[in-house]
Amino acid sequence: MMNAFHTLRTRGENFSMYRFELLTMMLSALEWKKHNGRIKLVTDRRGAEYLKQFELEKIYDEIDVSLDEIDALGIDENIFWAGAKLFALSRQQCPCVMLDLDFIVWRPLDFSPYRNDVAVIHFERVGNEIYPPSEHFRFKNNFRLPPSLDWTVEACNTAFAYFGARDFVNRYCNFAFDFMRAADGDGLPYMVFVEQRWLAMCARLMGRSVHEMSSLNDLFGGRQKYFTHIWGAKQKLRDDPIAADKFCADCILSPSLA
C-alpha cells in the first residue's frame, strides 16, 4: 500500500470550487483509498474550513493545514501557482505519491519496480514555447542555473508522481524554492520548468530513473483504464453547465460515491 496526498491551496477572499471539482476530488481520494492506500489532504485552515461545510474532510485519512506556513518561502504564488504542491511534497515521508485533485486512479498499482526512483504519469516534449531553452529565463540576486543541467531530457507531468527517496525530494524541492524566489520573469514556462522539467533534470543529475506510467496519447485517447485526468476538460465544464451537470451525474453514479 502507498501513501498519497492531495494539495488544496486557497487564495483570494472568495475561494470556492465548482461542483464538478468537488466531485472529482472526492472520487480521487476515495478511489485511492479503495485500491492503493491512505491519502491525506495538505491545505490551509481556510481550505479545511471550506471542506467542512460539505463534510468532505471525512473522505481523508488526515487533514494537514501546513500550507498556512507557505508565505515564509517568499515565493510569488501568482506565478508559481503549483508552489504549494511542492511545499506539501517537501513535508512528506517517502515513498509517497503526489496526486492532483483532478486525477483519479481506478485500479491497484504496483510500485515495487520503482524503489528509490521516480515515476510520473507521462513525459512531455521540450524545445517549444512551453519548455524553452535556458536563455529564456531571467533571475535576480545572482542566481544561476547549474551548467550541468541536461536540457534534452523530456519534462515530467506531475499530475501523478511517485517519489521513492527522501534525498531526491530534498534536492528537487530545495532547488525549486531557490528558483522561485530568484525568478525575474513570469509566464507558464517558469512554473512548468521548476515543477516538471527540473524534475527530469534532477533525476538525471542524481542518477535516478524516471518511469512513465502511461503516455499522453493513451491517457487522453481512451486506450487505458487505470487513470482519468480531467485537466484538459475543466474549462469546458466551467463554460458549459449542461456538460458539467452530465459529468457530475456520471460521477455520482460511481460506486465510490453511491
Side-chain angles (χ1 to χ4, degrees):
M1 304 300 281
M2 181 61 57
N3 291 333
F5 69 95
H6 276 162
T7 305
L8 176 64
R9 174 63 165 154
T10 67
R11 294 169 53 228
E13 293 299 322
N14 300 307
F15 174 80
S16 65
M17 297 175 69
Y18 287 88
R19 184 165 173 252
F20 75 83
E21 292 176 312
L22 289 168
L23 287 168
T24 307
M25 180 180 69
M26 291 171 64
L27 272 177
S28 179
L30 293 172
E31 288 291 327
W32 185 265
K33 291 171 66 173
K34 180 178 179 180
H35 301 295
N36 287 294
R38 292 173 55 85
I39 185 167
K40 72 163 67 170
L41 176 68
V42 183
T43 186
D44 43 45
R45 293 189 187 279
R46 184 163 53 176
E49 292 169 1
Y50 179 79
L51 292 188
K52 284 182 181 179
Q53 298 178 42
F54 309 101
E55 298 186 348
L56 293 185
E57 80 280 4
K58 298 176 181 178
I59 67 176
Y60 289 99
D61 296 296
E62 178 183 350
I63 303 290
D64 176 347
V65 295
S66 60
L67 288 190
D68 281 333
E69 304 170 28
I70 194 174
D71 288 344
L73 277 183
I75 65 174
D76 186 345
E77 291 187 79
N78 293 312
I79 300 171
F80 297 104
W81 36 264
K85 189 166 74 168
L86 300 188
F87 180 82
L89 173 63
S90 73
R91 301 285 185 101
Q92 305 308 308
Q93 294 183 345
C94 292
C96 69
V97 163
M98 183 168 70
L99 190 62
D100 278 5
L101 300 176
D102 59 3
F103 195 100
I104 304 167
V105 181
W106 299 103
R107 299 183 182 182
L109 301 176
D110 179 11
F111 294 95
S112 61
Y114 308 137
R115 299 181 181 272
N116 290 330
D117 290 336
V118 179
V120 298
I121 187 58
H122 64 79
F123 298 134
E124 298 188 354
R125 286 179 293 180
V126 299
N128 49 52
E129 62 182 9
I130 303 299
Y131 296 107
S134 61
E135 293 79 14
H136 175 85
F137 300 100
R138 298 288 181 268
F139 302 98
K140 54 193 175 185
N141 301 326
N142 297 316
F143 181 87
R144 296 288 185 273
L145 292 171
S148 55
L149 296 182
D150 186 345
W151 292 83
T152 68
V153 293
E154 291 185 302
C156 300
N157 187 287
T158 59
F160 176 102
Y162 162 88
F163 296 91
R166 183 71 236 176
D167 64 332
F168 180 86
V169 168
N170 287 343
R171 187 165 185 181
Y172 170 57
C173 292
N174 289 338
F175 177 87
F177 299 149
D178 289 341
F179 179 102
M180 289 187 278
R181 282 189 289 262
D184 195 21
D186 55 23
L188 182 61
Y190 278 83
M191 181 64 254
V192 295
F193 173 87
V194 76
E195 180 189 5
Q196 303 193 149
R197 196 170 190 182
W198 159 240
L199 176 58
M201 291 173 166
C202 183
R204 180 64 58 89
L205 287 173
M206 296 185 68
R208 304 288 169 83
S209 296
V210 181
H211 305 267
E212 185 181 39
M213 303 191 73
S214 183
S215 71
L216 193 58
N217 288 336
D218 288 349
L219 190 63
F220 290 102
R223 287 186 288 273
Q224 57 78 36
K225 303 299 180 184
Y226 274 78
F227 312 108
T228 296
H229 187 201
I230 71 162
W231 181 85
K234 286 197 289 188
Q235 191 58 53
K236 175 177 175 56
L237 294 174
R238 295 186 187 106
D239 295 339
D240 187 341
I242 295 175
D245 286 345
K246 183 181 184 305
F247 178 88
C248 291
D250 290 341
C251 288
I252 292 169
L253 292 175
S254 169
S256 292
L257 295 183

